[in-house]
Short mmCIF file of all heavy atoms in Angstrom, two decimals:
data_model
loop_
_atom_site.label_atom_id
_atom_site.label_comp_id
_atom_site.label_asym_id
_atom_site.label_seq_id
_atom_site.Cartn_x
_atom_site.Cartn_y
_atom_site.Cartn_z
N SER P 167 5.52 7.89 7.64
CA SER P 167 5.00 8.81 6.70
C SER P 167 4.93 8.11 5.35
O SER P 167 3.96 8.46 4.61
CB SER P 167 5.77 10.09 6.71
OG SER P 167 7.12 9.85 6.44
N TYR P 168 5.80 7.40 5.00
CA TYR P 168 5.83 6.61 3.68
C TYR P 168 4.56 5.73 3.57
O TYR P 168 3.82 5.76 2.67
CB TYR P 168 7.09 5.84 3.49
CG TYR P 168 7.00 4.76 2.40
CD1 TYR P 168 6.96 5.18 1.10
CD2 TYR P 168 6.84 3.43 2.70
CE1 TYR P 168 6.78 4.23 0.11
CE2 TYR P 168 6.68 2.52 1.71
CZ TYR P 168 6.67 2.86 0.43
OH TYR P 168 6.51 1.95 -0.62
N GLU P 169 4.36 4.90 4.75
CA GLU P 169 3.17 4.01 4.71
C GLU P 169 1.91 4.80 4.61
O GLU P 169 0.98 4.39 3.92
CB GLU P 169 3.23 3.19 5.98
CG GLU P 169 4.37 2.18 5.92
CD GLU P 169 4.55 1.54 7.34
OE1 GLU P 169 4.14 2.05 8.41
OE2 GLU P 169 5.08 0.43 7.36
N ASN P 170 1.78 5.94 5.32
CA ASN P 170 0.61 6.75 5.23
C ASN P 170 0.46 7.37 3.86
O ASN P 170 -0.68 7.31 3.28
CB ASN P 170 0.58 7.88 6.19
CG ASN P 170 0.30 7.52 7.65
OD1 ASN P 170 -0.57 6.61 7.85
ND2 ASN P 170 0.90 8.03 8.70
N ALA P 171 1.52 7.76 3.21
CA ALA P 171 1.44 8.39 1.86
C ALA P 171 1.03 7.31 0.88
O ALA P 171 0.22 7.55 0.03
CB ALA P 171 2.82 8.96 1.45
N LEU P 172 1.54 6.17 1.06
CA LEU P 172 1.18 5.04 0.05
C LEU P 172 -0.36 4.66 0.28
O LEU P 172 -1.08 4.48 -0.66
CB LEU P 172 2.06 3.84 0.39
CG LEU P 172 1.77 2.56 -0.53
CD1 LEU P 172 1.82 2.85 -2.07
CD2 LEU P 172 2.74 1.41 -0.15
N ALA P 173 -0.76 4.64 1.50
CA ALA P 173 -2.22 4.29 1.69
C ALA P 173 -3.04 5.42 1.18
O ALA P 173 -4.13 5.07 0.53
CB ALA P 173 -2.35 4.16 3.23
N ASP P 174 -2.62 6.70 1.40
CA ASP P 174 -3.48 7.76 0.79
C ASP P 174 -3.55 7.62 -0.68
O ASP P 174 -4.56 7.90 -1.31
CB ASP P 174 -2.84 9.08 1.17
CG ASP P 174 -3.03 9.43 2.72
OD1 ASP P 174 -3.89 8.71 3.32
OD2 ASP P 174 -2.41 10.36 3.16
N GLU P 175 -2.37 7.36 -1.27
CA GLU P 175 -2.31 7.30 -2.72
C GLU P 175 -3.23 6.14 -3.25
O GLU P 175 -3.99 6.23 -4.24
CB GLU P 175 -0.83 7.18 -3.28
CG GLU P 175 -0.66 7.32 -4.79
CD GLU P 175 -1.04 8.66 -5.39
OE1 GLU P 175 -0.86 9.69 -4.52
OE2 GLU P 175 -1.39 8.76 -6.42
N LEU P 176 -3.09 5.01 -2.60
CA LEU P 176 -3.95 3.86 -3.01
C LEU P 176 -5.46 4.10 -2.78
O LEU P 176 -6.23 3.65 -3.72
CB LEU P 176 -3.49 2.68 -2.23
CG LEU P 176 -2.22 2.00 -2.54
CD1 LEU P 176 -1.79 0.91 -1.64
CD2 LEU P 176 -2.23 1.47 -3.99
N GLU P 177 -5.82 4.80 -1.74
CA GLU P 177 -7.18 5.17 -1.60
C GLU P 177 -7.68 5.98 -2.77
O GLU P 177 -8.75 5.92 -3.23
CB GLU P 177 -7.41 5.91 -0.22
CG GLU P 177 -7.36 4.92 0.97
CD GLU P 177 -7.59 5.65 2.30
OE1 GLU P 177 -7.96 6.88 2.26
OE2 GLU P 177 -7.38 5.02 3.33
N ALA P 178 -6.86 6.96 -3.17
CA ALA P 178 -7.18 7.89 -4.23
C ALA P 178 -7.26 7.08 -5.54
O ALA P 178 -8.21 7.27 -6.32
CB ALA P 178 -6.15 8.93 -4.43
N VAL P 179 -6.42 6.22 -5.77
CA VAL P 179 -6.39 5.38 -7.05
C VAL P 179 -7.65 4.50 -7.01
O VAL P 179 -8.47 4.53 -7.97
CB VAL P 179 -5.20 4.50 -7.08
CG1 VAL P 179 -5.26 3.50 -8.21
CG2 VAL P 179 -3.98 5.39 -7.34
N TYR P 180 -7.95 3.88 -5.92
CA TYR P 180 -9.21 2.97 -5.94
C TYR P 180 -10.48 3.85 -6.00
O TYR P 180 -11.36 3.44 -6.68
CB TYR P 180 -9.24 2.11 -4.62
CG TYR P 180 -8.08 1.14 -4.50
CD1 TYR P 180 -7.46 0.87 -3.23
CD2 TYR P 180 -7.61 0.51 -5.54
CE1 TYR P 180 -6.52 0.03 -3.06
CE2 TYR P 180 -6.56 -0.36 -5.43
CZ TYR P 180 -6.00 -0.66 -4.17
OH TYR P 180 -5.00 -1.55 -4.09
N GLY P 181 -10.42 5.06 -5.39
CA GLY P 181 -11.54 5.99 -5.45
C GLY P 181 -11.82 6.46 -6.82
O GLY P 181 -13.00 6.81 -7.16
N ARG P 182 -10.86 6.43 -7.74
CA ARG P 182 -11.01 6.78 -9.11
C ARG P 182 -11.55 5.61 -9.94
O ARG P 182 -11.63 5.61 -11.18
CB ARG P 182 -9.75 7.37 -9.81
CG ARG P 182 -9.35 8.67 -9.19
CD ARG P 182 -8.26 9.32 -9.93
NE ARG P 182 -6.99 8.58 -10.06
CZ ARG P 182 -6.05 8.68 -9.11
NH1 ARG P 182 -6.14 9.55 -8.24
NH2 ARG P 182 -4.91 8.01 -9.42
N GLY P 183 -11.72 4.36 -9.22
CA GLY P 183 -12.27 3.25 -10.00
C GLY P 183 -11.17 2.41 -10.60
O GLY P 183 -11.61 1.42 -11.37
N VAL P 184 -9.93 2.57 -10.25
CA VAL P 184 -8.81 1.71 -10.69
C VAL P 184 -8.66 0.61 -9.77
O VAL P 184 -8.32 0.86 -8.58
CB VAL P 184 -7.56 2.58 -10.90
CG1 VAL P 184 -6.46 1.69 -11.47
CG2 VAL P 184 -7.79 3.71 -11.84
N HIS P 185 -8.91 -0.66 -10.21
CA HIS P 185 -8.77 -1.80 -9.27
C HIS P 185 -7.87 -2.86 -9.88
O HIS P 185 -7.58 -3.78 -9.11
CB HIS P 185 -10.13 -2.32 -8.94
CG HIS P 185 -11.01 -1.39 -8.34
ND1 HIS P 185 -12.01 -0.72 -9.01
CD2 HIS P 185 -11.03 -0.91 -7.07
CE1 HIS P 185 -12.56 0.13 -8.13
NE2 HIS P 185 -12.03 0.05 -6.97
N ASP P 186 -7.52 -2.78 -11.13
CA ASP P 186 -6.62 -3.92 -11.67
C ASP P 186 -5.16 -3.58 -11.34
O ASP P 186 -4.77 -2.36 -11.24
CB ASP P 186 -6.86 -4.00 -13.12
CG ASP P 186 -6.48 -2.80 -13.92
OD1 ASP P 186 -7.28 -1.80 -13.78
OD2 ASP P 186 -5.48 -2.84 -14.76
N LEU P 187 -4.39 -4.56 -11.22
CA LEU P 187 -2.90 -4.43 -10.90
C LEU P 187 -2.21 -3.45 -11.85
O LEU P 187 -1.61 -2.49 -11.46
CB LEU P 187 -2.25 -5.66 -10.71
CG LEU P 187 -0.78 -5.58 -10.32
CD1 LEU P 187 -0.65 -4.96 -9.04
CD2 LEU P 187 -0.17 -7.16 -10.26
N PRO P 188 -2.24 -3.69 -13.27
CA PRO P 188 -1.55 -2.84 -14.17
C PRO P 188 -2.04 -1.39 -13.96
O PRO P 188 -1.29 -0.45 -14.03
CB PRO P 188 -1.97 -3.30 -15.51
CG PRO P 188 -2.26 -4.76 -15.31
CD PRO P 188 -3.02 -4.86 -13.93
N GLY P 189 -3.37 -1.10 -13.75
CA GLY P 189 -3.80 0.23 -13.64
C GLY P 189 -3.41 0.90 -12.34
O GLY P 189 -3.09 2.07 -12.34
N VAL P 190 -3.32 0.04 -11.21
CA VAL P 190 -2.91 0.63 -9.91
C VAL P 190 -1.43 1.03 -10.03
O VAL P 190 -0.97 2.16 -9.66
CB VAL P 190 -2.99 -0.42 -8.80
CG1 VAL P 190 -2.42 0.10 -7.51
CG2 VAL P 190 -4.55 -0.51 -8.61
N VAL P 191 -0.67 0.16 -10.66
CA VAL P 191 0.85 0.47 -10.84
C VAL P 191 1.06 1.71 -11.79
O VAL P 191 1.80 2.58 -11.36
CB VAL P 191 1.58 -0.71 -11.42
CG1 VAL P 191 2.95 -0.42 -11.86
CG2 VAL P 191 1.55 -1.81 -10.36
N SER P 192 0.34 1.80 -12.73
CA SER P 192 0.41 2.97 -13.66
C SER P 192 -0.04 4.17 -12.85
O SER P 192 0.62 5.33 -13.07
CB SER P 192 -0.44 2.81 -14.91
OG SER P 192 -0.56 3.90 -15.68
N ALA P 193 -1.11 4.11 -12.10
CA ALA P 193 -1.64 5.32 -11.43
C ALA P 193 -0.56 5.74 -10.36
O ALA P 193 -0.30 6.93 -10.13
CB ALA P 193 -2.93 5.10 -10.78
N LEU P 194 0.12 4.80 -9.69
CA LEU P 194 1.15 5.09 -8.65
C LEU P 194 2.21 5.81 -9.32
O LEU P 194 2.83 6.84 -8.77
CB LEU P 194 1.56 3.90 -8.04
CG LEU P 194 0.61 3.28 -6.91
CD1 LEU P 194 1.26 1.94 -6.37
CD2 LEU P 194 0.42 4.19 -5.76
N ASN P 195 2.62 5.37 -10.48
CA ASN P 195 3.79 6.03 -11.19
C ASN P 195 3.31 7.44 -11.70
O ASN P 195 4.15 8.35 -11.61
CB ASN P 195 4.20 5.12 -12.36
CG ASN P 195 4.93 3.97 -11.90
OD1 ASN P 195 5.76 4.04 -10.98
ND2 ASN P 195 4.84 2.87 -12.70
N ALA P 196 2.13 7.64 -12.09
CA ALA P 196 1.72 8.88 -12.51
C ALA P 196 1.51 9.88 -11.32
O ALA P 196 1.75 11.12 -11.43
CB ALA P 196 0.34 8.78 -13.27
N GLY P 197 1.36 9.32 -10.10
CA GLY P 197 1.12 10.18 -8.91
C GLY P 197 2.40 10.59 -8.30
O GLY P 197 2.37 11.60 -7.50
N GLY P 198 3.50 9.92 -8.67
CA GLY P 198 4.79 10.44 -8.12
C GLY P 198 5.31 9.71 -6.86
O GLY P 198 6.50 10.07 -6.55
N LEU P 199 4.49 8.98 -6.20
CA LEU P 199 5.01 8.31 -4.98
C LEU P 199 5.89 7.10 -5.54
O LEU P 199 5.36 6.25 -6.25
CB LEU P 199 3.92 7.81 -4.13
CG LEU P 199 4.33 7.04 -2.91
CD1 LEU P 199 5.08 8.02 -1.93
CD2 LEU P 199 3.12 6.41 -2.19
N ARG P 200 7.09 7.02 -5.12
CA ARG P 200 8.08 6.00 -5.58
C ARG P 200 8.45 5.07 -4.56
O ARG P 200 8.34 5.48 -3.33
CB ARG P 200 9.27 6.68 -6.17
CG ARG P 200 9.08 7.61 -7.32
CD ARG P 200 8.84 6.71 -8.54
NE ARG P 200 8.63 7.56 -9.82
CZ ARG P 200 7.43 7.66 -10.39
NH1 ARG P 200 6.46 7.10 -9.91
NH2 ARG P 200 7.43 8.48 -11.55
N PRO P 201 8.88 3.84 -4.86
CA PRO P 201 9.41 3.00 -3.85
C PRO P 201 10.73 3.50 -3.36
O PRO P 201 11.27 4.47 -3.78
CB PRO P 201 9.59 1.71 -4.61
CG PRO P 201 9.48 1.92 -6.06
CD PRO P 201 8.82 3.33 -6.17
N ALA P 202 11.29 2.90 -2.32
CA ALA P 202 12.40 3.33 -1.72
C ALA P 202 13.62 3.61 -2.66
O ALA P 202 14.48 4.48 -2.35
CB ALA P 202 12.79 2.35 -0.50
N ASP P 203 13.69 2.76 -3.68
CA ASP P 203 14.85 2.92 -4.51
C ASP P 203 14.69 4.02 -5.51
O ASP P 203 15.57 4.40 -6.34
CB ASP P 203 15.13 1.65 -5.22
CG ASP P 203 14.17 1.08 -6.19
OD1 ASP P 203 13.04 1.87 -6.41
OD2 ASP P 203 14.31 0.02 -6.75
N GLY P 204 13.50 4.63 -5.58
CA GLY P 204 13.24 5.75 -6.42
C GLY P 204 12.93 5.45 -7.80
O GLY P 204 12.58 6.40 -8.67
N ALA P 205 12.83 4.24 -8.26
CA ALA P 205 12.43 3.76 -9.54
C ALA P 205 11.00 3.83 -9.72
O ALA P 205 10.25 4.02 -8.74
CB ALA P 205 13.03 2.28 -9.81
N ASP P 206 10.48 3.53 -10.99
CA ASP P 206 9.06 3.32 -11.16
C ASP P 206 8.57 2.13 -10.59
O ASP P 206 9.41 1.05 -10.45
CB ASP P 206 8.79 3.31 -12.74
CG ASP P 206 8.85 4.75 -13.36
OD1 ASP P 206 8.85 5.68 -12.58
OD2 ASP P 206 8.91 4.70 -14.57
N TRP P 207 7.34 2.05 -10.20
CA TRP P 207 6.62 0.89 -9.76
C TRP P 207 6.57 -0.04 -10.89
O TRP P 207 6.29 0.27 -11.95
CB TRP P 207 5.31 1.12 -9.14
CG TRP P 207 5.34 1.90 -7.91
CD1 TRP P 207 5.07 3.20 -7.72
CD2 TRP P 207 5.57 1.35 -6.61
NE1 TRP P 207 5.10 3.54 -6.36
CE2 TRP P 207 5.46 2.43 -5.73
CE3 TRP P 207 5.89 0.11 -6.11
CZ2 TRP P 207 5.59 2.37 -4.31
CZ3 TRP P 207 6.05 -0.03 -4.68
CH2 TRP P 207 5.82 1.03 -3.86
N THR P 208 6.70 -1.44 -10.48
CA THR P 208 6.23 -2.50 -11.58
C THR P 208 5.27 -3.40 -10.72
O THR P 208 5.21 -3.22 -9.56
CB THR P 208 7.58 -3.33 -11.92
OG1 THR P 208 8.03 -4.00 -10.81
CG2 THR P 208 8.56 -2.44 -12.55
N GLU P 209 4.62 -4.14 -11.55
CA GLU P 209 3.73 -5.11 -10.84
C GLU P 209 4.44 -5.92 -9.73
O GLU P 209 3.94 -6.23 -8.70
CB GLU P 209 3.02 -6.11 -11.84
CG GLU P 209 2.11 -5.25 -12.78
CD GLU P 209 1.44 -6.08 -13.72
OE1 GLU P 209 1.33 -7.36 -13.61
OE2 GLU P 209 0.86 -5.59 -14.76
#
Side-chain angles (χ1 to χ4, degrees):
S167 58
Y168 163 76
E169 291 169 339
N170 282 326
L172 181 58
D174 290 345
E175 189 68 26
L176 287 172
E177 285 180 10
V179 169
Y180 297 144
R182 293 191 298 270
V184 179
H185 298 104
D186 62 295
L187 182 56
V190 169
V191 168
S192 177
L194 285 175
N195 286 326
L199 181 67
R200 297 286 181 250
D203 65 3
D206 283 347
W207 292 100
T208 65
E209 293 179 21

